[in-house]
Amino acid sequence: MVKVSPDDVANVGSALRHLTLADDHLRTALAAHLSINVTELIALGHLAESEELTPTQLAQLLGITTASVTVLVDHLEAAGFVYRTRSTADRRSLLLRLTPAGARAVQWVYEQYRVAIAQAFEQGGAALAPDVVVFLEQVSQT
């Protein structure tokens, strides 16, 4: 195993903090473009990944109360991005799903990320892409 210097660890940590801040700025801008807030944007991402969630599940994923999820879903539903439906397994339970417009919004957001990543690689380092993927996945798992 290769020993990593404390300076390299500190530099990578600093770069990851910069990436996190840049991601915060990008998500804020993308959410504003969609006329929603960042938490609502994150909720759309969770729904895209899960296809359907109960309000309680979404609240847990977002770290907010179910009352807050109700307000959030009301806004996303009014914007045409989400709809509520009754569960066929338990008619007392609601399920949240993306509308076609919600799915298009999520795909548009993901495309903006792909464009930003492509631009970064075009500035140099495209050959590093496979190693970057492996490293970021390792950091995510750690």
Side-chain angles (χ1 to χ4, degrees):
M1 178 177 262
V2 176
K3 179 100 170 116
V4 179
S5 78
D7 285 345
D8 286 341
V9 171
N11 290 336
V12 169
S14 178
L16 287 173
R17 281 192 304 281
H18 294 155
L19 177 62
T20 300
L21 291 172
D23 181 54
D24 289 347
H25 291 294
L26 180 58
R27 283 197 287 186
T28 299
L30 296 174
H33 181 82
L34 295 170
S35 300
I36 60 176
N37 67 42
V38 173
T39 304
E40 292 165 344
L41 181 69
I42 295 167
L44 292 179
H46 284 302
L47 285 167
E49 296 296 321
S50 300
E51 292 189 24
E52 65 182 24
L53 293 169
T54 66
T56 300
Q57 290 169 324
L58 185 57
Q60 291 169 343
L61 289 167
L62 296 173
I64 61 177
T65 66
T66 53
S68 294
V69 164
T70 299
V71 173
L72 179 146
V73 172
D74 286 346
H75 188 243
L76 290 175
E77 194 171 44
F81 294 140
V82 171
Y83 70 97
R84 296 170 169 103
T85 186
R86 292 269 174 214
S87 168
T88 55
D90 178 359
R91 295 194 40 85
R92 297 169 295 164
S93 181
L94 287 176
L95 294 174
L96 307 173
R97 293 187 174 123
L98 292 178
T99 64
R104 284 191 302 275
V106 171
Q107 288 307 311
W108 175 80
V109 167
Y110 291 168
E111 180 60 24
Q112 302 315 300
Y113 274 90
R114 285 189 290 274
V115 167
I117 291 165
Q119 288 174 350
F121 277 128
E122 287 169 4
Q123 294 173 12
L128 298 174
D131 292 333
V132 170
V133 170
V134 170
F135 176 74
L136 291 175
E137 288 295 338
Q138 288 172 336
V139 170
S140 296
Q141 294 302 316
T142 303

